[in-house]
Amino acid sequence: MEALPPWPKGKKLVHLDLKGAPPRIDYLHKLIGIFAGLGADGLLVEYEDMFPYEGELKVLQATQHSPYSREEVLSIQEVAKSHGLEVIPLVQTFGHLEFVLKHKSLWGLREVPHCLGTLNPHREEGVRLVQEMLRQVVELHPGSTSVHIGADEVYLLGEGEESRRWLSTPGRTLQQLFLLHVTRVAKAVRETWPNLNVIMWDDMLRGMDHDTLKGSGLVGLVQPMLWDYNPTLDVENTVSLLERYCGAGLSELWAASAFKGSTNVHTCVTNTQRHVDNHLQWLQVAASLPKGINMLGIALTGWQRYDHLSVLCELLPLALPSLASCLQTLLHGHLNPEAQRRVKDSLGISSVDVETMERSSAGNSELFPGRRLAELVVELMEILQSEELRHFEDSTFVRGWFTPYHRQRKIVNPLIAQQLQNQAMSFLALVEERVELVRKEILSLYPASTAQEWEEQHVSPVVVPLQRILEDTRASLLEMVAQNISESMDGQ
């Protein structure tokens, strides 16, 4: 493929999603240095419950593990600054407030009771809540020039009782309802911190026409960040959307791609090529833009969960080759052999794909912090996803001699039972040996809660059925032995 022009001027932000698997602070410091070395210009940090909220907001802090302290949040910024990186905090203020609205004391602030993510925009206490969240976060980021207020995927907006009443007035629309809250939040930020830029996700704006956007109150107030993580991103439609924003007066714009966390909600191992393809599409968008559109930069998102209550996506070490490849793609317009060599040299790896890296040699941990974990996870997942293990319950022995019918009645051919037990114990020993190594590495980089969650998410679904078969065969054999003893005694 012919090289595209490199990404135009502007920041290249690495997104840190801390609502799952928050790195230990010393590991996070190392990662920041790696990001800078790979070509990043800044960090977009989404703290969620890892921020040390104080006062009435202390309830928002994580309980399964300790949130970062105020000193640690400041240290993140200090380390970033030492590497020439800007830090932009992200605070959700409308949608994706699951980590806030899950708390019983705040249930009344939901738009509808069964949607944990969307704030009721009519409740003054809800508006004050997000404004106080912003105040605490911004004040602990004294060197930041921008803040991101989220505002994406505001599900079920308009379906609450108060919103229905508001919308019942002729001429009022759902779009206006969305804009009222966002402009109010953004104006409050600018009034308190006049020199602070306000960024927001763009998806709730996409359906708005020129006149609605122009009269939205957002012009000169916010910088939309247009996100699309698809490897087959529609270039023509994306350019058209950016032109529509610019034509309505929203001329300062950001893009958002993905280097991990967007393939599938439960993806464990990052596919580098998929994310490189996404960045190649974004380069085509940038190359097709007319003059007058001011692209301020691109955020390379690395989602750790789809939302606060979903499972973990790929852990960061599994995605460092992808991140390096995506940044090189933006810097050089392609990922040709020379760009791939730069990725390999920067991380000390043999392949840009984490699944095909050769096992590491000693001494390159500083180039690729967390590499050992990445290798072990790839190795373990190959075992867990093997046909023999995943379909053990569909094997001939189980389906022929140890069906639910047999288990319920505790009957089994002892010869078959021995065969099943030997296989199950062999698989369990193999898995447990690898799991112990993975667990040790996760604990060195993440809190214990992450190790437990990762194991229960990826290992337990495979291991538990094997353990159950082992227990059931033993119980059946014991029952048959007991029956034989009873029959023998009855015959005396």
Side-chain angles (χ1 to χ4, degrees):
M1 179 179 177
E2 187 176 340
L4 292 159
W7 186 258
K9 66 176 183 178
K11 297 286 186 180
K12 292 178 288 297
L13 309 175
V14 174
H15 171 238
L16 283 174
D17 179 15
L18 301 175
K19 62 177 171 279
R24 294 186 185 277
I25 195 65
D26 55 341
Y27 180 50
L28 186 50
H29 289 170
K30 289 180 182 178
L31 287 172
I32 292 170
I34 295 297
F35 298 159
L38 294 175
D41 303 303
L43 303 175
L44 178 62
V45 185
E46 187 165 355
Y47 291 98
E48 267 220 5
D49 58 3
M50 286 302 293
F51 188 81
Y53 286 109
E54 297 181 329
E56 293 182 0
L57 297 188
K58 194 166 185 178
V59 67
L60 306 183
Q61 291 186 11
T63 54
Q64 70 274 30
H65 46 247
S66 298
Y68 295 130
S69 67
R70 293 178 64 84
E71 292 72 24
E72 287 172 332
V73 170
L74 290 171
S75 76
I76 292 170
Q77 298 165 71
E78 290 167 4
V79 172
K81 185 178 180 180
S82 72
H83 289 285
L85 301 186
E86 178 183 2
V87 176
I88 298 175
L90 190 159
V91 182
Q92 288 287 3
T93 57
F94 207 170
H96 280 301
L97 282 168
E98 293 90 355
F99 84 102
V100 175
L101 301 178
K102 71 178 184 179
H103 296 284
K104 190 172 184 179
S105 60
L106 301 173
W107 284 1
L109 300 182
R110 300 176 188 173
E111 170 73 344
V112 292
H114 60 283
C115 180
L116 275 67
T118 298
L119 185 75
N120 180 340
H122 307 280
R123 300 284 176 88
E124 284 300 314
E125 57 266 45
V127 176
R128 287 196 299 270
L129 173 71
V130 295
Q131 289 178 341
E132 176 61 13
M133 288 166 60
L134 281 164
R135 185 193 67 78
Q136 292 194 24
V137 171
V138 170
E139 289 185 356
L140 203 56
H141 290 76
S144 295
T145 61
S146 302
V147 64
H148 197 307
I149 62 170
D152 61 317
E153 298 181 332
V154 188
Y155 299 130
L156 304 187
L157 179 64
E159 297 192 15
E161 184 178 341
E162 289 168 277
S163 289
R164 288 179 185 274
R165 285 201 301 269
W166 188 89
L167 289 166
S168 66
T169 299
R172 289 180 175 176
T173 67
L174 196 59
Q175 293 176 344
Q176 290 174 345
L177 178 59
F178 171 80
L179 291 168
L180 278 172
H181 178 75
V182 172
T183 53
R184 182 177 181 182
V185 170
K187 283 178 180 177
V189 171
R190 293 296 292 273
E191 287 170 3
T192 308
W193 304 281
N195 297 320
L196 199 62
N197 298 311
V198 179
I199 305 170
M200 65 176 284
W201 299 118
D202 85 299
D203 54 287
M204 297 296 290
L205 307 177
R206 293 178 192 175
M208 299 183 187
D209 59 28
H210 175 276
D211 291 339
T212 301
L213 289 169
K214 194 168 185 178
S216 64
L218 297 178
V219 176
L221 185 62
V222 302
Q223 300 167 349
M225 181 176 277
L226 198 161
W227 58 271
D228 195 321
Y229 315 138
N230 201 312
T232 59
L233 177 158
D234 189 320
V235 173
E236 185 177 344
N237 283 348
T238 303
V239 171
S240 176
L241 182 56
L242 288 165
E243 288 177 324
R244 176 146 50 93
Y245 289 154
C246 186
L250 296 165
S251 56
E252 294 188 322
L253 297 157
W254 292 79
S257 56
F259 72 91
K260 84 174 193 76
S262 63
T263 304
N264 198 300
V265 67
H266 51 71
T267 299
C268 182
V269 179
T270 307
N271 183 309
T272 294
Q273 189 59 54
R274 174 187 174 87
H275 298 293
V276 167
D277 288 344
N278 174 237
H279 288 79
L280 288 171
Q281 296 298 96
W282 270 113
L283 285 174
Q284 288 193 51
V285 170
S288 305
L289 290 177
K291 292 182 179 180
I293 297 181
N294 184 15
M295 293 300 289
L296 299 173
I298 183 169
L300 292 81
T301 62
W303 299 102
Q304 195 54 71
R305 300 187 194 276
Y306 275 30
D307 68 38
H308 183 75
L309 298 176
S310 66
V311 296
L312 293 172
C313 300
E314 314 102 282
L315 297 175
L316 261 172
L318 277 297
L320 282 184
S322 172
L323 175 60
S325 299
C326 293
L327 283 167
Q328 284 296 314
T329 300
L330 292 177
L331 288 168
H332 300 286
H334 53 189
L335 193 65
N336 66 357
E338 175 60 23
Q340 290 189 40
R341 185 188 63 76
R342 293 192 184 99
V343 172
K344 295 173 189 177
D345 290 347
S346 67
L347 294 178
I349 55 180
S350 60
S351 168
V352 299
D353 192 329
V354 71
E355 289 189 279
T356 57
M357 291 189 319
E358 293 178 4
R359 294 296 295 270
S360 62
S361 57
N364 62 4
S365 60
E366 290 305 310
L367 292 176
F368 188 164
R371 173 172 179 161
R372 180 62 177 151
L373 174 58
E375 292 173 341
L376 289 170
V377 167
V378 169
E379 183 180 283
L380 176 59
M381 294 310 295
E382 287 177 353
I383 296 171
L384 294 175
Q385 293 174 358
S386 66
E387 288 295 312
E388 284 184 305
L389 217 56
R390 288 177 63 241
H391 301 295
F392 188 78
E393 289 188 290
D394 288 330
S395 69
T396 300
F397 286 129
V398 174
R399 296 191 66 180
W401 284 271
F402 206 52
T403 64
Y405 173 89
H406 295 90
R407 295 194 205 189
Q408 185 179 354
R409 291 162 178 77
K410 291 186 170 57
I411 54 176
V412 65
N413 182 322
L415 189 62
I416 299 297
Q418 184 178 19
Q419 180 72 18
L420 287 173
Q421 287 179 344
N422 289 341
Q423 287 183 344
M425 287 189 293
S426 176
F427 283 140
L428 287 170
L430 176 66
V431 170
E432 183 51 42
E433 179 185 359
R434 302 302 196 284
V435 169
E436 184 58 37
L437 294 172
V438 170
R439 187 185 300 128
K440 180 181 177 182
E441 291 299 319
I442 294 180
L443 288 172
S444 71
L445 307 177
Y446 295 98
S449 58
T450 296
Q452 179 181 357
E453 181 180 357
W454 191 92
E455 190 172 331
E456 291 184 11
Q457 177 182 333
H458 294 290
V459 181
S460 296
V462 178
V463 165
V464 168
L466 290 179
Q467 293 172 331
R468 195 174 295 126
I469 284 177
L470 203 56
E471 293 167 0
D472 288 352
T473 53
R474 287 171 178 165
S476 298
L477 288 171
L478 286 172
E479 179 68 19
M480 292 175 72
V481 168
Q483 289 178 357
N484 286 338
I485 292 174
S486 175
E487 291 172 1
S488 174
M489 294 180 66
D490 288 343
Q492 291 180 357

